[in-house]
Amino acid sequence: MLGGARSGKSAYAERLAEESGAVRYVATSVPDPADLDFAERIARHRERRPATWSVVESADAAAVLADATPGATLVDDIGTWLTARIDALGAWEAPRGTVAPDADALAAAVAAYAHRLILVSPEVGMGVVPATRSGRLFRDEIGMLNQRLAAACDEVVLVVAGLPLRLK
């Protein structure tokens, strides 16, 4: 599931997951207690999730996916996963590709996953070139990662204005 900010990609992914019965929800963000806006976003996502879903809060999506579970696994989202990896590596000023080993592990875990897997990821390369190096780094890294994950997935959907458009 690809889409811009507030495109409806997470809500659409949640509806798809719900159709599968049992759902494991992988929340990849690493919240910063000082970031109240982000905390509010996380709270809205939590409120939307059915209480019956199994929730795993982990920035190590590849490790979580190594344990395939029946039903659907929904990873929300790849952008917060990438941000957490860049933070953990202290790589905001590092050369592009520094997160490649982590991206390799995630792409391999996605390709090997044996059950229903729904990924949510931001599509950020369709607008203005970011003014900061860190913004350009994120845009480039997520763009390359999205290509790799899309190649490994059976289906790819772009959500724009809440409307899904099947790409693959």
Side-chain angles (χ1 to χ4, degrees):
M1 211 64 46
L2 297 170
R6 298 288 192 242
S7 64
K9 62 190 176 293
S10 291
Y12 182 72
E14 291 164 5
R15 287 193 303 274
L16 287 178
E18 204 163 27
E19 295 171 1
S20 300
V23 176
R24 174 175 63 166
Y25 183 99
V26 182
T28 63
S29 65
V30 178
D32 175 357
D35 188 342
L36 299 178
D37 178 62
F38 195 58
E40 183 180 313
R41 288 173 184 252
I42 291 171
R44 280 196 303 272
H45 276 253
R46 285 180 177 148
E47 290 167 5
R48 249 189 356 231
R49 278 184 242 145
T52 57
W53 287 11
S54 166
V55 177
V56 178
E57 293 184 356
S58 175
D60 191 352
V64 174
L65 295 179
D67 177 26
T69 61
T73 294
L74 169 55
V75 179
D76 196 358
D77 94 359
I78 302 302
T80 56
W81 172 86
L82 178 61
T83 299
R85 296 312 312 140
I86 295 171
D87 283 347
L89 294 168
W92 288 106
E93 297 301 322
R96 282 167 177 72
T98 301
V99 297
D102 295 74
D104 292 345
L106 180 60
V110 167
Y113 198 76
H115 296 285
R116 180 138 169 85
L117 178 60
I118 302 167
L119 305 173
V120 176
S121 190
E123 180 56 62
V124 298
M126 299 170 78
V128 175
V129 174
T132 64
R133 183 189 189 295
S134 60
R136 291 186 299 273
L137 172 76
F138 180 83
R139 178 208 52 198
D140 293 350
E141 294 288 349
I142 197 70
M144 291 182 290
L145 182 56
N146 281 344
Q147 289 181 58
R148 293 182 66 193
L149 296 177
C153 292
D154 296 328
E155 184 176 352
V156 179
V157 175
L158 175 66
V159 180
V160 178
L163 302 173
L165 175 63
R166 187 167 194 251
L167 303 177
K168 174 183 173 185

